[in-house]
Amino acid sequence: MRGPPILPDDLSLRDLLLWVERRRIAARRRLTARRVAPVARPAASEPRPAAAAPTGAAPGTVLTLDAPTPDLRRFTVAKPSGFSYAPGQSVRLELEGTRRRYTMVSAPHEPALEFLVELVPGGRMSARLRGLRPGAAIGIAGDPKGGIALDTGAKRHLMLATVTGVNPFVSILRDAVRRGRTDLRVVLVHGASYADEFGYNEELSALAAAHPGLLTYIPTVSRPDEPRNAGWRGARGRADALIEAVIARHSLAPADTTAYACGNTGMVETAAARLGGLGYRVRTETYD
Ligand SMILES: Cc1cc2nc3c(=O)[nH]c(=O)nc-3n(C[C@H](O)[C@H](O)[C@H](O)COP(=O)(O)OP(=O)(O)OC[C@H]3O[C@@H](n4cnc5c(N)ncnc54)[C@H](O)[C@@H]3O)c2cc1C
């Protein structure tokens, strides 16, 4: 506990004002030092500047961290040398003895690994990640694997995600931009309860504006009437509820379109059943 301020004796009014100002500046510095270091977000998206790993940071060191909402953590981690992965793959992270699998949001060319994690109530890893700070060490346990891979044989791609289920799609899109693959046609429907849960809204909207032929980004909120969504002007409803309308509007025929669904099991299973029934090839990954 900090003690009461000690006021020097025999102060003139000017000295008193200077003394108060010095204490105010010192208090502000202490407050700033306690805050979590924010991630610098890019203003535009083409190509997205990768998070720079500071020279000499040990592999697994948390470089940047921010909290888009109280239950989301976005952080970058220094990449071990020789660590390679395909866009959309996941890796097991280890923190204080707990291991869980997370998808890299970053594309393989980026110098740091980026993650976006939703903290779940009562979750072991969630509790550990809630206290994560820049400079902490995270274990990278084993090789990246699995994940949602882009179907290189398809011309069009219909991607459906809930909240952090967008992660593999961001990685795939960053990689596509890096490779100049603007011939791809991606329609990405991103569902969340609340508009502040679209962790990459700014980046994806900017990418869609810069390359309308490459990406159509449709964030949609399932609870549009709640106060937290006040001012939301975008799509409404669950991601899977928009499937038929999106297919019709963007002329996505099963013959040249591959569909993908990633995130919570309810959405993924509903979407896979509906899209499979319509004749689409569907690639899925569930997080819960
Ligand atoms: C291939 C793969 C990739 C993944 N990538 C990501 C990612 O990029 N970002 C991300 O946030 N998560 C991702 N996950 C989920 C992640 O691995 C953990 O399951 C999640 O972080 C919860 O771990 P926990 O230890 O906090 O919860 P646990 O202690 O394992 O579980 C606590 C309770 O929460 C429930 N639960 C577990 N996960 C969820 C969830 N996602 N939503 C709601 N309830 C849940 C459990 O059923 C259980 O009842 C991925 C999972 C897989 C299999």
Side-chain angles (χ1 to χ4, degrees):
M1 190 82 171
R2 190 170 294 279
I6 299 164
L7 188 65
D9 295 331
D10 303 329
L11 283 180
S12 67
L13 179 61
R14 185 173 164 280
D15 287 342
L16 179 64
L17 289 173
L18 279 172
W19 181 82
V20 169
E21 179 62 8
R22 273 199 297 272
R23 288 197 59 79
R24 201 177 61 77
I25 290 168
R28 187 190 293 167
R29 282 206 187 111
R30 281 196 301 275
L31 191 67
T32 307
R34 258 184 255 135
R35 278 190 196 129
V36 170
V39 174
R41 307 308 308 162
S45 64
E46 189 205 354
R48 182 185 178 279
T55 317
T61 304
V62 177
L63 304 173
T64 60
L65 176 82
D66 77 338
T69 75
D71 293 326
L72 286 174
R73 292 292 180 277
R74 173 171 37 209
F75 52 94
T76 57
V77 171
K79 187 157 61 171
S81 75
F83 185 92
S84 65
Y85 59 100
Q89 280 193 318
S90 62
V91 71
R92 275 189 309 161
L93 298 183
E94 177 172 349
L95 199 55
E96 297 164 29
T98 297
R99 290 179 175 191
R100 294 287 184 273
R101 188 158 282 282
Y102 295 100
T103 304
M104 268 82 62
V105 178
S106 43
H109 66 273
E110 296 183 55
L113 304 177
E114 181 173 338
F115 300 91
L116 177 69
V117 176
E118 184 170 10
L119 308 180
V120 302
R124 279 177 65 87
M125 189 60 142
S126 298
R128 286 155 177 74
L129 288 171
R130 201 173 282 284
L132 194 68
R133 293 290 178 269
I138 288 195
I140 296 169
D143 294 328
K145 63 173 194 181
I148 289 194
L150 191 75
D151 179 359
T152 50
K155 278 191 191 154
R156 294 159 193 263
H157 308 270
L158 171 59
M159 299 174 172
L160 301 161
T162 53
V163 191
T164 54
V166 78
N167 295 356
F169 305 135
V170 175
S171 179
I172 287 168
L173 284 162
R174 287 183 185 176
D175 184 66
V177 171
R178 161 81 170 188
R179 292 171 186 276
R181 291 290 318 273
T182 44
D183 56 311
L184 295 178
R185 175 87 192 98
V186 175
V187 178
L188 170 53
V189 183
H190 191 185
S193 298
Y194 302 104
D196 55 9
E197 295 175 311
F198 298 123
Y200 293 93
N201 192 356
E202 209 179 305
E203 176 179 342
L204 293 170
S205 299
L207 180 60
H211 296 289
L214 166 67
L215 175 65
T216 300
Y217 178 55
I218 307 170
T220 178
V221 300
S222 59
R223 300 178 186 181
D225 299 326
E226 292 208 13
R228 191 166 150 189
N229 283 324
W232 176 250
R233 302 272 173 272
R236 297 166 158 234
R238 287 167 51 112
D240 52 82
L242 303 188
I243 287 174
E244 282 81 1
V246 168
I247 285 171
R249 178 162 190 171
H250 297 279
S251 309
L252 301 172
D256 64 358
T257 304
T258 293
Y260 312 78
C262 185
N264 88 44
T265 303
M267 184 284 283
V268 170
E269 288 183 349
T270 306
R274 204 175 290 174
L275 287 160
L278 293 169
Y280 291 86
R281 295 173 299 280
V282 191
R283 298 183 174 191
T284 63
E285 190 154 75
T286 54
Y287 283 180
D288 51 344

